[in-house]
Amino acid sequence: MVRKISIALAATKISIALAATLIMAGTAWADPIEGNWKTKNGDTAAISACGGSFCIKLKTGQYAGKSIGSMKASGGGKYVGSITKPSNGKTYSGSGTLAGNSLKMTGCVLAVLCESQIWHKL
């Protein structure tokens, strides 16, 4: 009986260790774009995985809680998708370029009229 309890305890410890390892590995595998970013206006935007994309949601400021875009990785620190300007609710073709702790976010109308901002990772 004591031997069965020892085996059960060992199996439980192994399961806990494995679960902790998987959780930590998941964090290590996160895309570098994920996290909190300081926008040009000083607001905080959170970028997180959602399905096969990355969703962008404002966490602070006048438009806190508003979703403002979605992007997919296209390789080499580049992302493509859409960006919504929170002040008018209009959605534009968007892109992002990651360089270290800086993220250049660009929204374009007709691929000609573009506006860019540099965000910094918090």
Side-chain angles (χ1 to χ4, degrees), residues 28-114:
W29 292 332
D31 192 282
I33 198 172
E34 291 183 74
N36 293 320
W37 295 85
K38 184 67 72 179
T39 69
K40 177 183 173 184
N41 298 337
D43 298 335
T44 300
I47 301 179
S48 59
C50 62
S53 299
F54 297 98
C55 293
I56 309 165
K57 187 174 192 174
L58 290 174
K59 292 178 70 174
T60 64
Q62 180 180 1
Y63 302 102
K66 188 166 188 152
S67 294
I68 60 165
S70 172
M71 296 200 168
K72 289 186 177 195
S74 60
K78 297 190 182 295
Y79 301 82
V80 295
S82 62
I83 295 287
T84 300
K85 189 170 187 175
S87 61
N88 64 15
K90 292 185 179 180
T91 301
Y92 304 95
S93 172
S95 64
T97 303
L98 187 62
N101 287 331
S102 295
L103 177 62
K104 182 178 180 182
M105 298 292 285
T106 303
C108 297
V109 177
L110 303 173
V112 179
L113 302 171
C114 299

Side-chain angles (χ1 to χ4, degrees), residues 1-24:
M1 179 72 157
V2 173
R3 183 164 170 79
K4 286 183 182 178
I5 292 172
S6 294
I7 292 172
L9 286 174
T12 300
K13 287 180 182 179
I14 290 171
S15 295
I16 291 170
L18 180 60
T21 300
L22 290 174
I23 288 169
M24 289 172 29

